[in-house]
Amino acid sequence: DRDQIPDEAQPVKGVVRCPGTAGGEIAMDGSSMGPFMLRRPPETDPEAICLIAHLAFQMGPMDGFEYRARDPSPLLERCTELGGCELERLASCPVAVGFFTPLA
């Protein structure tokens, strides 16, 4: 939902590691904020843990800022605590997976 994206949001460069997906990662070139498609390989067990829970974000440099990933991952934490899949929760409630903080 585009209403969940702050007006000042900007596309970023980096990589989203996607274990268990076809392709294994999404390269972000800083020109788009998505959407990005995640797919399980056809031979994957449909009962396997949520793909979104294991996403790992490695953001590239942004002028004047540094990226800090939240640790532990809020996606994995919520999936472990609540069960099910993060997709439905993300559709109705955004989550911060990390922060860009100004360099001193």
Side-chain angles (χ1 to χ4, degrees):
D1 181 358
R2 296 246 183 244
D3 291 339
Q4 294 182 6
I5 300 172
D7 293 336
E8 67 275 7
Q10 298 177 25
V12 295
K13 292 181 181 181
V15 175
V16 180
R17 305 264 182 239
C18 313
T21 64
E25 68 181 35
I26 298 169
M28 298 182 300
D29 64 6
S31 66
S32 169
M33 289 194 288
F36 302 103
M37 183 181 294
L38 298 175
R39 290 188 318 249
R40 287 186 191 275
E43 66 279 359
T44 305
D45 176 6
E47 299 299 317
I49 192 163
C50 171
L51 291 177
I52 296 171
H54 291 283
L55 297 181
F57 299 83
Q58 295 177 323
M59 300 301 156
M62 195 160 98
D63 288 343
F65 292 87
E66 69 177 340
Y67 178 74
R68 290 184 304 117
R70 286 192 51 201
D71 187 26
S73 162
L75 299 172
L76 182 57
E77 238 181 359
R78 289 193 323 185
C79 191
T80 302
E81 290 175 12
L82 303 174
C85 184
E86 278 300 293
L87 182 59
E88 287 185 40
R89 288 186 282 270
L90 285 175
S92 61
C93 176
V95 63
V97 296
F99 307 93
F100 280 101
T101 54
L103 294 171

